[in-house]
């Protein structure tokens, strides 16, 4: 089969690999029909995630058709159309028994602090991902779900991470009716978080980014107010001014480890890999939220330390909430919202590329060329 | 873009300095008219993440108390914060070469709580990349930094117009990217040329 393969920082190519085989009785092998490149794939691509090995296939956002199932699989059979959450989880450990599906203890030997994620380095369990023609899906009776008949395949692939994570970010904010919600980052997750904030009753939603084309999308797709931080000397002051000096009730960090805006932070984290991530957006969030407010973190950070302004968070009495999204818990409600027409996730897709062009796809997304917001990968074309 | 108001200098005119109302008032009808679905999840008790940490092992679909164990086909490196090897794990890219030795050491010796663990793994990543680049030159498909960086997308995906005339924070360090990516290749290339010349000179003598 053909698969995307990592060759070192900033380098990927398509290689011929063996079709994955059943390694556990509850495994399934899925033939991928749509995959996506995610902003967090860029952390791997840039070599920021420890234990990212040459030869690994990335891709944690994919849907497809069941090709083969292991002997203990009861709920799926070959030929089923399935969507697969980016989390790999057993469903039965102490954490899964309490709904913490993104924090499973039975699927990642390499780290106890992280659950299992497809195609996301050995730090997340060493699983090959779905930017390939076939992928191994562990715990087939627990993770994947059939794609509802009425659902478009492209909407389904966005439910496997970006939409679920954005919606989860808004939930972590504990938004009350009328709250002012600021979202840092107008990538796919930020756009979905902004849209979800309205569903939870926000009175005002403000999206902050540096790219005008993405802010344009935030106005259209998420009906949000927008602020380009490069137009302001100090974005924290601008956030105070626009909230009558209160600060926002809830701030969502949908940027994560490669935040730009401070040369020192960006270069020390993204180029020199001396931090677990550049906390520029997180520090802006801490300083822009009101005292007693909530900061929700859904941007991804690596396991090394980051220079976070913890004193401000303590002195302001903030609630900091964060996690990798437990995707499958979000699905029943998200399916309702998609069906009711409140959410149309595939509206944010800007590019569709064949698997063969994946190297150009990564560069385009990484360098933010051609108005790129979300790129889908179509294997076998 | 949202216009940002400037202060008139009198704090008594701004919300933060006054008690305000107990709850924010919103015009629900206007919001619903403007934003399809506004308030569909307004009840905090009716959101998928509520209640938190609800004990319900049957909700996941798991039909085992502890999963069967996947066979361990090679000694699987693991965090020493685990009690042993968990039952299911990824089998991509087993450790090999010098980077593999470093990785195994990082796992065997240091917990996730130690910076040494992660710094060793990052060092191993850099070594792995160079081991792999060198090994690729002994194959029919050597690494090609032009095609593998996808840099040709600069031409058919509007590299110039995506940047010119845009205020982008990444412009301040854009000049670093070619150095970070191409620099080591140029150095390696120059090194190879120098070595070849030295060899030729020695042979000529
Ligand atoms: Zn993702
Ligand atoms: Zn589990």
């Amino acid at each position: 089969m053909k698969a995307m393969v990592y060759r070192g920082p900033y380098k990927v190519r398509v290689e011929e690999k063996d079709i994955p085989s059943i390694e556990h009785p509850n495994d399934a092998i899925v033939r991928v029909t749509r995959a996506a490149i995610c902003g967090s794939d860029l952390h791997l691509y840039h070599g920021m995630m420890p234990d990212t090995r040459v030869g690994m296939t990335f891709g944690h956002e994919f849907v497809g058709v069941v090709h083969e199932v292991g002997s203990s699989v009861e709920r799926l059979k070959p030929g089923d159309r399935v969507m697969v959450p980016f989390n790999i989880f057993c469903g039965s450990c102490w954490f899964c028994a309490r709904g913490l599906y993104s924090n499973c203890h039975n699927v990642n030997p390499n780290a106890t602090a992280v659950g299992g994620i497809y195609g996301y380095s050995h730090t997340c369990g060493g699983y090959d991902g779905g930017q390939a023609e076939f992928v191994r899906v562990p715990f087939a009776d627990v993770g994947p779900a059939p794609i509802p008949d009425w659902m478009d395949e492209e909407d389904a692939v966005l439910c496997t991470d970006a939409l679920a994570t954005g919606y989860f970010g808004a939930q972590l904010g504990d938004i009350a009716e009328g709250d002012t919600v600021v979202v840092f980052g107008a990538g796919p997750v930020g756009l979905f978080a902004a849209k979800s904030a309205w569903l939870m009753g926000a009175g005002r939603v403000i999206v902050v980014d540096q790219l005008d084309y993405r802010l344009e999308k935030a106005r259209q797709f998420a009906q949000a107010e927008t602020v380009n931080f490069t137009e302001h000397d100090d974005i924290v002051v601008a956030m105070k001014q626009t909230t009558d000096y209160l600060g926002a009730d809830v701030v969502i960090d949908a940027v994560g480890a490669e935040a730009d805006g401070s040369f020192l932070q960006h270069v020390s984290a993204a180029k020199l890999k001396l931090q677990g991530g550049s906390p520029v957006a997180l520090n802006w969030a801490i300083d822009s939220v009101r005292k007693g407010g909530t900061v929700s973190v859904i941007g991804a950070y690596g396991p090394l330390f980051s220079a976070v302004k913890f004193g401000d968070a303590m002195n302001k009495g903030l609630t900091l909430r964060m996690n990798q999204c437990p995707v499958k818990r979000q699905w029943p409600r998200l399916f309702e919202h998609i069906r009711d027409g409140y959410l149309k996730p595939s509206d944010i897709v800007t590019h569709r590329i064949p698997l063969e062009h994946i190297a150009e796809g990564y560069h385009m997304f990484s360098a933010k060329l051609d108005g790129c917001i979300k790129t889908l990968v179509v294997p076998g074309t | 873009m949202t216009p940002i108001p400037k202060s008139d200098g009198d704090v008594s005119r701004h919300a933060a300095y006054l008690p305000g109302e107990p709850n924010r008032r919103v015009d629900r009808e206007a919001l619903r008219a403007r934003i399809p679905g506004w308030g569909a999840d307004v009840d905090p008790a009716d959101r998928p993440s509520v209640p938190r940490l609800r004990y319900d092992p049957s909700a996941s679909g798991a039909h085992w108390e502890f999963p069967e164990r996947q066979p361990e086909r090679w000694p699987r490196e693991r965090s020493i914060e685990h009690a042993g090897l968990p039952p299911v794990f990824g089998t991509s890219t087993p450790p090999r070469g010098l980077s593999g030795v470093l990785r195994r050491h990082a796992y065997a010796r240091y917990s996730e709580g130690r910076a040494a663990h992660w710094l060793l793994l990052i060092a191993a990543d850099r070594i792995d990349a160079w081991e792999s680049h060198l090994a690729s030159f002994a194959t029919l498909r050597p690494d090609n930094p032009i095609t593998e960086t996808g840099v040709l997308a600069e031409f058919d995906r509007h590299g110039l117009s995506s940047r010119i005339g845009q205020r982008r924070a990444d412009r301040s360090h854009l000049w670093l990217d070619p150095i970070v990516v191409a620099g080591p290749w140029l150095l390696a290339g120059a090194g190879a040329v120098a070595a070849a010349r030295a060899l030729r000179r020695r042979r000529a003598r």
Side-chain angles (χ1 to χ4, degrees), chain A residues 88-97 100-101 103-107:
Chain A
I88 298 170
F89 58 107
C90 75
S92 57
C93 68
W94 196 95
F95 304 94
C96 287
L100 293 170
Y101 297 155
N103 310 102
C104 178
H105 219 57
N106 268 335
V107 291

Side-chain angles (χ1 to χ4, degrees), chain A residues 75-88:
Chain A
R75 290 185 175 79
L76 294 180
K77 56 181 190 316
D80 288 350
R81 285 198 328 151
V82 285
M83 50 205 289
V84 183
F86 79 80
N87 328 100
I88 298 170

Side-chain angles (χ1 to χ4, degrees), chain A residues 23 51 141 167 177 210 363, chain B residues 28 41 63 91 107 154 169:
Chain A
E23 307 212 30
D51 211 355
D141 283 332
Y167 185 73
E177 183 169 356
Q210 50 152 327
H363 180 78
Chain B
R28 292 181 175 177
D41 296 319
H63 41 86
T91 51
Y107 283 104
E154 290 287 333

